[in-house]
Amino acid sequence: NLMYSHRSVDDPDTQIEIQSLQMLMFLQQVCHVIIVISDWSVDPTIPNLIKTAEILSAQSTENNNIREERVPHMVFVYNFSDRSDFTHCDAHKRTLKTLLKHSAGS
């Protein structure tokens, strides 16, 4: 995570993370629904990226005196899940809820 690392701004991974945050912040402002596609059931980097983008968007709107807070619905799609992954659907929901508990949409 960019916030907790000491990577250089010129590092390619840092550049990708910054671009991902910028795109996510834009999507959060203009979309009603965002579809989040992940290879595995719960990738902890995705909720962290979502929370970071929400924090940065909130700060941006405060600085620009924009009062409207838009919170799009998030739909999570898992590419490489088997049927057995959904036998513990409640556990997945609890995990996502825990990871996103301070998110604006939860």
Side-chain angles (χ1 to χ4, degrees):
N1 193 339
L2 182 63
M3 293 177 15
Y4 303 110
S5 70
H6 299 287
R7 293 183 291 187
S8 165
V9 177
D10 297 328
D11 181 45
D13 290 336
T14 303
Q15 291 296 319
I16 291 170
E17 190 167 351
I18 290 170
Q19 288 176 351
S20 298
L21 282 169
Q22 290 171 334
M23 180 162 306
L24 186 53
M25 288 170 56
F26 171 74
L27 291 172
Q28 288 175 335
Q29 292 298 313
V30 299
C31 294
H32 294 283
V33 177
I34 297 175
I35 299 173
V36 181
I37 300 173
S38 175
D39 288 338
W40 309 109
S41 57
V42 179
D43 180 357
T45 59
I46 293 174
N48 288 335
L49 186 70
I50 292 169
K51 289 191 301 187
T52 302
E54 286 178 348
I55 291 167
L56 293 172
S57 291
Q59 290 173 351
S60 174
T61 56
E62 287 173 9
N63 292 340
N64 293 326
N65 295 323
I66 299 171
R67 298 278 183 227
E68 180 184 350
E69 183 173 327
R70 295 181 36 85
V71 180
H73 296 280
M74 297 276 184
V75 176
F76 292 87
V77 177
Y78 305 121
N79 276 337
F80 296 111
S81 296
D82 327 292
R83 185 171 287 228
S84 65
D85 291 337
F86 295 100
T87 58
H88 304 291
C89 194
D90 290 335
H92 287 298
K93 287 180 187 177
R94 280 194 308 273
T95 302
L96 279 174
K97 191 170 186 168
T98 300
L99 291 171
L100 295 170
K101 73 178 171 185
H102 297 295
S103 175
S106 58

